[in-house]
Amino acid sequence: MRKSAIFGIAAVCLALPLVDPSAHGAVAAPPAGCADATPAAVAALFDARVPPWIGATKVPGAVVSVVAGGERVFGKGYGLADVAHGVPMDAETSAMRVASISKLFTFTAVMQQVQAGRLDLGADVNTYLTAFKVPATYPRPITLLDLMDHTSGFEDRVTGIGARSAADVPPLGDVLAALMPARIRPPGEISAYSNYGAALAGYIVAQVSGEPYDEYVRRHILEPLGMAHTSATEPPPFAVAHSYDTDETPPREVPFTFDLLAPDGSISTSANDMAAFMLAHLDHDGGELLSPATAALMHQRSFAADPRLGGYAHGFVDRTMNGHRVLMHDGGWEAFGSVMILVPDCGLGLFASFNSTAAGDALTAILPAFLDRFAPPVAAPEVAAPATGAPAPGFYVPTRHNESTVERLLVLTGPLRLTVAVDGTVRFAGKEWDPAGGGLYRQRDGADHLVARGSYIATDGPAYERMSPAETIPVNLAVLAAFVVVALSIPVYFLWRLLRRRTRPVASSRAWRTARWLAGGACLLGLAFLVLLALTLAGDTSDFLYGAPLSFRLLLVLPMLVLAAYAAAIAATVRGWDSARLAARMHQVAALGGLAALTWFLWQWNLIGWQL
């Protein structure tokens, strides 16, 4: 599944310089508040940090490129692109799968079509769709700008978005129609990262241009920039570096996975090619891609939950780091992890990519050092904003979640609790946030901020939504505990009745005996389902990327059998009630009550039927 850590560890790592820093000319003096990113200085930083880091963690390899002063000042590969064959990483030719950084190519294409007059960022996306339409769930339609800002209100889905072979990849329009997620909030309300939204934007570009998405990217972005080792086609027409999952021992090479939502993450590219892309966006003239006016528009902030927080700039993540405005995006897929950062006021850009499940840790370790060195801390400008209230204590879930399919169950597995101390300190997401005035909270021992906005908690990164009591872990654990206690009492009660019957035979109607067996069987079947479900969630779920496995589809038969037996047990209980003793009646009521609790849980988490 697309997440920033399914990457791996592999073998011996070699530091292999692929670009001679001395081959570049002098770089223009940096603007005030920025350090001089000379080829020698950049090389010294990464040569000192990357080889020891990948050596210590057994990460196979990495590529890095840096631009400054209007030119590429650094490009280098470290370690191995292919462990089995000892192929070294090369900044010029080693293609990395950059996953969600692809969205910047897609949104650049959107802006090109805005510039050409074929697209309007404020128009209803249905204006450009003919084969299918987005349902009018809310009065306000979803616009192209909503797709770029991740404020469309779509839920998240990961089941079935990948394929193992090109033969398993349907046309993009068919995929978007079949996998359209539910709209779970009005557009423009809050950000919730959406792969589907980006894919829909890329499809719209293809519709209005008359060119397939990958062909459009090649002709209008890659060729103008001379990006010969970049492609949006899957698989690309050149070799891609191998990636490794080091969560396994020995490390496992991860196979090429096709992205059905191609415009959200299909780009394979080299570090030096990414330098050309960064330079195009740092160029105030838009480089070869956009007019000055369109480039300026794309780089303007277009959404933030609060002006004091990070947000989006027409698809770029827009944040403040070390007091500098930063436009960036990262991506993780198929055991690759990558990041692209632009610091416009310094004319500075960085691309780094690792072919390992440890990529997230690598980027966390290396990027702050880069920014501290070449975009050192400066005083951030004060941002005026209306005061907001204190956050409400309770449980919160990321706004990026699912509500309409069985993936909703993931909401139950990862909620975050927010508490407010007497002194006003907020504890949330494993961190402490101190009041900074006006409803703004600053992370203690960190740089992030937090603001409450109605039922949402917004941060410089993700946003979170307050859970209803029925969704919280305490309530659901109580419901499940009630059912489990009743279910475990079934064999104990029947054993007791069997032993007692030998000395005191009890007469009961056939209907009552049937009711007892049906209720008992339903309870034990329900208990078996919960155990198997827990084992499924705790195990390897990677196959869900290609669709729900047959084993899981068969598992969902059990709730249907439980409900059928439950309904039959109720009917038989009514018919045989008068023939039963008081103790048996009480236990039967308890069993039916436990099944009612289980039924509520199954309904709450979309486990009735095949809601896939």
Side-chain angles (χ1 to χ4, degrees), residues 473-526:
I473 284 183
V475 169
N476 282 271
L477 285 179
V479 169
L480 288 179
F483 166 72
V484 169
V485 168
V486 170
L488 292 177
S489 76
I490 296 294
V492 174
Y493 180 83
F494 274 85
L495 179 61
W496 174 72
R497 292 298 299 165
L498 180 64
L499 294 175
R500 193 164 181 258
R501 184 171 292 142
R502 293 180 177 179
T503 56
R504 297 179 58 188
V506 177
S508 58
S509 69
R510 181 176 180 180
W512 183 255
R513 291 194 300 273
T514 300
R516 296 293 282 147
W517 280 108
L518 284 170
C523 284
L524 295 178
L525 199 60

Side-chain angles (χ1 to χ4, degrees), residues 397 401-402 407-415 467 471 605:
V397 65
H401 67 268
N402 182 281
E407 289 185 42
R408 174 171 163 78
L409 192 62
L410 299 178
V411 169
L412 185 60
T413 63
M467 302 171 72
E471 295 174 308
W605 302 107

Side-chain angles (χ1 to χ4, degrees), residues 501-596:
R501 184 171 292 142
R502 293 180 177 179
T503 56
R504 297 179 58 188
V506 177
S508 58
S509 69
R510 181 176 180 180
W512 183 255
R513 291 194 300 273
T514 300
R516 296 293 282 147
W517 280 108
L518 284 170
C523 284
L524 295 178
L525 199 60
L527 187 60
F529 170 74
L530 292 178
V531 171
L532 292 173
L533 180 65
L535 291 175
T536 298
L537 295 176
D540 182 5
T541 59
S542 58
D543 280 351
F544 280 82
L545 184 67
Y546 311 110
L550 178 60
S551 59
F552 186 74
R553 293 175 182 271
L554 293 175
L555 179 61
L556 291 178
V557 172
L558 296 186
M560 304 299 291
L561 297 177
V562 169
L563 294 180
Y566 178 33
I570 293 175
T573 298
V574 172
R575 290 197 304 272
W577 185 260
D578 291 340
S579 68
R581 292 177 177 268
L582 178 61
R585 289 178 178 179
M586 292 176 62
H587 190 259
Q588 183 72 348
V589 169
L592 295 178
L595 287 169

Side-chain angles (χ1 to χ4, degrees), residues 139-507:
R140 180 185 174 304
I142 296 173
T143 68
L144 273 169
L145 187 58
D146 291 323
L147 301 183
M148 301 175 85
D149 290 338
H150 298 279
T151 57
S152 61
F154 284 126
E155 69 179 354
D156 192 45
R157 290 191 65 173
V158 294
T159 301
I161 65 170
R164 292 184 173 90
S165 69
D168 296 327
V169 180
L172 179 58
D174 294 349
V175 173
L176 293 170
L179 296 183
M180 184 178 294
R183 298 179 62 185
I184 60 175
R185 65 178 63 87
E189 186 169 280
I190 197 74
S191 64
Y193 192 81
S194 174
N195 288 318
Y196 182 91
L200 183 59
Y203 175 74
I204 288 173
V205 168
Q207 289 294 102
V208 299
S209 68
E211 301 176 73
Y213 171 76
D214 59 341
E215 184 67 12
Y216 180 95
V217 170
R218 182 184 67 81
R219 291 188 64 238
H220 299 280
I221 298 178
L222 306 182
E223 288 185 352
L225 297 181
M227 298 175 68
H229 293 94
T230 302
S231 177
T233 301
E234 294 183 308
F238 43 74
V240 177
H242 296 230
S243 57
Y244 300 87
D245 183 352
T246 40
D247 294 336
E248 298 185 12
T249 303
R252 177 178 61 87
E253 184 176 322
V254 178
F256 190 97
T257 302
F258 291 78
D259 183 358
L260 298 189
L261 300 174
D264 86 310
S266 64
I267 295 287
S268 299
T269 185
S270 70
N272 286 354
D273 274 11
M274 284 301 298
F277 186 72
M278 291 189 289
L279 287 170
H281 272 287
L282 285 170
D283 184 345
H284 295 297
D285 293 333
E288 300 289 334
L289 302 180
L290 303 170
S291 71
T294 306
L297 173 62
M298 185 174 185
H299 298 158
Q300 286 180 8
R301 172 168 287 202
S302 49
F303 178 83
D306 185 281
R308 299 166 291 183
L309 300 177
Y312 285 98
H314 298 86
F316 283 95
V317 176
D318 182 4
R319 295 199 57 176
T320 299
M321 296 182 176
N322 283 359
H324 300 272
R325 184 181 185 226
V326 168
L327 298 175
M328 63 178 293
H329 215 294
D330 62 1
W333 174 252
E334 207 184 70
F336 288 96
S338 311
V339 69
M340 189 192 93
I341 290 183
L342 304 179
V343 189
D345 67 335
C346 293
L348 184 68
L350 165 70
F351 170 77
S353 183
F354 295 76
N355 60 342
S356 160
T357 48
D361 295 335
L363 296 171
T364 300
I366 292 170
L367 296 187
F370 173 79
L371 290 174
D372 288 346
R373 175 66 180 83
F374 300 110
V378 296
E382 292 292 330
V383 178
T388 54
F395 288 91
Y396 289 79
V397 65
T399 52
R400 182 186 181 183
H401 67 268
N402 182 281
E403 291 191 4
S404 70
T405 76
V406 293
E407 289 185 42
R408 174 171 163 78
L409 192 62
L410 299 178
V411 169
L412 185 60
T413 63
L416 300 169
R417 188 175 185 181
L418 186 147
T419 61
V420 182
V422 176
D423 63 358
T425 299
V426 169
R427 292 180 174 84
F428 179 65
K431 305 166 186 174
E432 293 189 334
W433 310 74
D434 297 318
L440 179 70
Y441 293 79
R442 182 176 291 109
Q443 180 188 340
R444 188 178 300 172
D445 302 323
D448 282 357
H449 301 83
L450 177 151
V451 170
R453 183 179 172 185
S455 61
Y456 300 106
I457 294 295
T459 71
D460 285 308
Y464 303 85
E465 184 174 2
R466 194 178 185 198
M467 302 171 72
S468 69
E471 295 174 308
T472 60
I473 284 183
V475 169
N476 282 271
L477 285 179
V479 169
L480 288 179
F483 166 72
V484 169
V485 168
V486 170
L488 292 177
S489 76
I490 296 294
V492 174
Y493 180 83
F494 274 85
L495 179 61
W496 174 72
R497 292 298 299 165
L498 180 64
L499 294 175
R500 193 164 181 258
R501 184 171 292 142
R502 293 180 177 179
T503 56
R504 297 179 58 188
V506 177

